[in-house]
Amino acid sequence: MNGLSKTSLDLRDTNRIHNAWKSRIHDFIQSPLRRKIKRQETNETCLLGESLETLISQKCGRIAFWDFLKSEFCEENLDFWLACQEFKTSDRPEELTRRAASIYEEFIGPESPREVNLDFYTREIIRQRLQQPSPSCFVVAQRKIFSLMENCSFPRFTQSEQYKVLLAAAAKQRGLPKHRKALKIRSTGDPMQHDSKPISLQCEVYLLHKD
């Protein structure tokens, strides 16, 4: 009889502990903290498509957008913008001169192999400044190319397959639901140009699909 009583007590203790944890989990799910965490996760994903500036401030965002631009045969726009960003960090006069000439020859000059869409006046101003370039030498041109990407390419990107893959990768980083699994893929291995130096674009991202 004592054995039966002990077993009954053990079962009651187990049920009591189980119910206590269920209650705690339920309280957490309904708590403001949980809602705040969930809202923060949602916001982080939404930010990827909030603006072009936010998108290209993140490595995988730049890679996904570059892949999209490549599919539209205009990836030189992002390469030019990135080259200008890097150019502004130069501080030695000889380095400024070398990089300015490299950017002009690749993206702006009349025989440029990867010419970007700039008006004659902007090109001429840059050409005149090449002898004594300053860190702001390409600011106007960079702003115009950014505006071109922002108004033309970015809206199409947010409707593209590359954008869906990017969102899936963000979801993967937060953890997958149990009824889903990840399918690993790679972006293209094509080089992205930075100051005429190829940079590999091998970046693993994830597609989600149901079992």
Side-chain angles (χ1 to χ4, degrees):
M1 187 70 180
N2 288 339
L4 290 174
S5 298
K6 187 175 185 303
T7 301
S8 298
L9 288 172
D10 289 343
L11 287 174
R12 285 198 295 271
D13 288 342
T14 301
N15 289 335
R16 188 161 54 250
I17 293 171
H18 177 70
N19 290 333
W21 275 107
K22 281 180 63 177
S23 177
R24 289 184 182 183
I25 292 171
H26 179 269
D27 290 343
F28 173 71
I29 291 174
Q30 300 299 324
S31 69
L33 175 61
R34 170 59 181 168
R35 290 195 293 271
K36 181 179 179 181
I37 293 173
K38 189 66 177 177
R39 185 165 59 249
Q40 183 178 2
E41 291 176 347
T42 301
N43 289 342
E44 287 173 356
T45 301
C46 291
L47 283 174
L48 292 171
E50 184 181 66
S51 70
L52 178 58
E53 184 177 4
T54 300
L55 178 73
I56 61 179
S57 69
Q58 303 176 49
K59 182 178 179 180
C60 277
R62 289 194 299 273
I63 291 171
F65 188 55
W66 189 91
D67 278 347
F68 171 75
L69 293 178
K70 180 174 172 56
S71 72
E72 295 204 332
F73 307 101
C74 57
E75 72 275 10
E76 67 276 0
N77 288 333
L78 181 56
D79 287 337
F80 172 72
W81 188 89
L82 292 170
C84 292
Q85 283 292 97
E86 188 174 347
F87 175 80
K88 288 187 289 188
T89 65
S90 304
D91 50 9
R92 292 183 290 114
E94 61 272 19
E95 185 179 9
L96 283 171
T97 300
R98 178 184 62 81
R99 288 191 172 186
S102 176
I103 292 173
Y104 181 83
E105 290 172 6
E106 184 173 1
F107 298 105
I108 300 174
E111 302 296 328
S112 299
R114 310 178 68 223
E115 186 176 351
V116 292
N117 187 12
L118 293 170
D119 59 272
F120 173 80
Y121 177 77
T122 302
R123 293 173 188 273
E124 186 61 19
I125 291 296
I126 293 173
R127 188 189 66 80
Q128 293 173 10
R129 292 177 177 175
L130 287 179
Q131 297 303 316
Q132 291 184 317
S134 67
S136 62
C137 182
F138 297 101
V139 166
V140 174
Q142 184 187 23
R143 189 182 303 125
K144 290 186 177 185
I145 294 302
F146 183 89
S147 179
L148 181 65
M149 293 190 294
E150 184 177 43
N151 295 321
C152 298
S153 301
F154 182 66
R156 292 196 298 274
F157 169 73
T158 57
Q159 305 297 319
S160 71
E161 189 63 29
Q162 287 92 336
Y163 182 63
K164 294 176 184 177
V165 170
L166 182 63
L167 293 184
K172 169 63 182 177
Q173 288 179 349
R174 295 196 306 271
L176 291 172
K178 289 184 178 180
H179 68 285
R180 295 192 171 199
K181 62 183 179 181
L183 174 65
K184 186 185 293 185
I185 66 171
R186 283 183 182 271
S187 66
T188 62
D190 296 311
M192 180 187 294
Q193 299 292 329
H194 272 215
D195 195 21
S196 300
K197 298 177 182 178
I199 295 178
S200 175
L201 287 180
Q202 296 293 344
C203 177
E204 294 181 352
V205 293
Y206 295 83
L207 278 175
L208 307 185
H209 65 92
K210 294 183 179 179
D211 289 327

